Amino acid sequence: MSEVPDLSGRTVGVTADRRGEDQAVMFRRMGAEVVLGPTIATVKVPDPDLLRRRSDELIADPPDYLIANTGVGMRTWLEAASVWGTSDALVAALGRTRIAARGPKVAGALSSAGLPAWWRSPNEQLGQLIEHLAGEGLDGTRVWLQLHGDDGAEFVARLEAEGATVTTVPVYVWTRPPDPAPALDLIERTAGGRVDALSFTAGPQIRSLFELAAEAGQELGLRTAVSGPVVTGCIGPVCAAVAGEYGISDPVVPANWRLGSLVKAVAEELARRR
């Protein structure tokens, strides 16, 4: 069994909204002080009428492909259909569709509903999934894309360039936190040299962090901190690519893109730097 890093005297900032407390518990068990500063908020089913229309459309005429992007998104969609009394019809229609799953979490959500994934991206990246679909030949096909908190414009464009007709399914969106004070406190501490590490589980957390910092006049201090002494951890390569846009050139990325692995990787890097 590997030795648990001792983070006594170290401070870690956590920017996630969902599962932020889970990270905090893990870091605290290693002795760290944790500053929770969620930089985004997840709003489920922002437009119930639109989601219901999309569901009814799919039930009436299932598409050739559905890109199941996230576990929370598919579970939320199926839960909403249950409230409307159309979950059985939706599952039946999805059963006549080739479902491409972005990763194991969404594949698990599908399996719980009795839906098999026709194909699953081995690296959990949406870009690779779309490349695989392109290899199948998309000209003249209908592809539905369950969105991942934003409008997915880049991926819609790529699918349409392959000749597909694309319909998006907005199940949840990311917004600014309703109370930005904790995030602003985290920014001030980081820029002031009072945070040893930052943890990110999604690219939008990074974007929002820097937007809030700029509005507070702290962007330069934040950039200086994350490009120097502060350890930054990203849950996977997509998140790390966003970090690179803000000058974080070498974030810690665990080999296994999971929450526990992220916490361990950040902790080990902090221990190494001690």
Side-chain angles (χ1 to χ4, degrees):
M1 182 179 295
S2 61
E3 185 178 350
V4 176
D6 178 11
L7 299 186
S8 300
R10 314 307 290 271
T11 300
V12 179
V14 174
T15 63
D17 62 331
R18 295 182 300 109
R19 305 199 67 185
E21 286 286 357
D22 293 344
Q23 293 181 67
V25 168
M26 288 185 272
F27 280 121
R28 286 173 183 144
R29 283 175 180 165
M30 301 178 196
E33 177 188 353
V34 177
V35 179
L36 284 168
T39 60
I40 61 172
T42 303
V43 178
K44 292 185 177 181
V45 194
D47 189 338
D49 292 338
L50 175 59
L51 183 59
R52 184 160 190 177
R53 287 199 303 273
R54 289 284 192 268
S55 296
D56 291 344
E57 290 168 13
L58 190 145
I59 291 167
D61 189 11
D64 300 291
Y65 297 97
L66 169 71
I67 297 175
N69 202 349
T70 63
V72 65
M74 291 305 301
R75 284 193 299 271
T76 300
W77 188 4
L78 292 167
E79 288 166 2
S82 180
V83 172
W84 301 325
T86 60
S87 59
D88 289 345
L90 179 59
V91 169
L94 289 172
R96 300 194 296 275
T97 300
R98 287 183 171 183
I99 305 178
R102 187 173 64 87
K105 289 183 180 180
V106 67
L110 293 168
S111 179
S112 296
L115 292 167
W118 163 74
W119 190 80
R120 193 179 94 182
S121 173
N123 70 1
E124 303 181 39
Q125 295 191 39
L126 189 55
Q128 185 189 54
L129 188 155
I130 289 174
E131 289 301 321
H132 181 82
L133 290 183
E136 294 288 314
L138 293 178
D139 191 31
T141 63
R142 294 165 52 237
V143 179
W144 282 45
L145 170 62
Q146 178 251 310
L147 295 176
H148 186 185
D150 55 26
D151 63 7
E154 173 190 352
F155 301 107
V156 170
R158 288 171 64 180
L159 290 164
E160 290 178 340
E162 296 292 333
T165 299
V166 182
T167 300
T168 57
V169 186
V171 185
Y172 62 93
V173 296
W174 286 316
T175 66
R176 287 281 187 91
D179 178 11
L184 292 171
D185 176 57
L186 175 58
I187 290 166
E188 183 178 359
R189 289 173 184 246
T190 305
R194 292 179 286 142
V195 168
D196 300 292
L198 290 174
S199 167
F200 301 107
T201 57
Q205 293 167 11
I206 303 172
R207 293 192 180 98
S208 184
L209 180 77
F210 278 90
E211 289 171 1
L212 288 166
E215 293 169 9
Q218 297 273 7
E219 184 177 12
L220 179 58
L222 178 63
R223 285 183 180 273
T224 301
V226 298
S227 62
V230 174
V231 173
T232 54
C234 292
I235 200 163
V238 175
C239 182
V242 177
E245 297 173 10
Y246 292 90
I248 306 172
S249 59
D250 192 23
V252 174
V253 180
N256 181 11
W257 308 333
R258 297 291 178 271
L259 197 64
S261 299
L262 171 63
V263 170
K264 181 181 178 182
V266 170
E268 289 177 343
E269 179 62 17
L270 278 173
R272 186 188 70 79
R273 293 193 186 187
R274 189 190 294 275

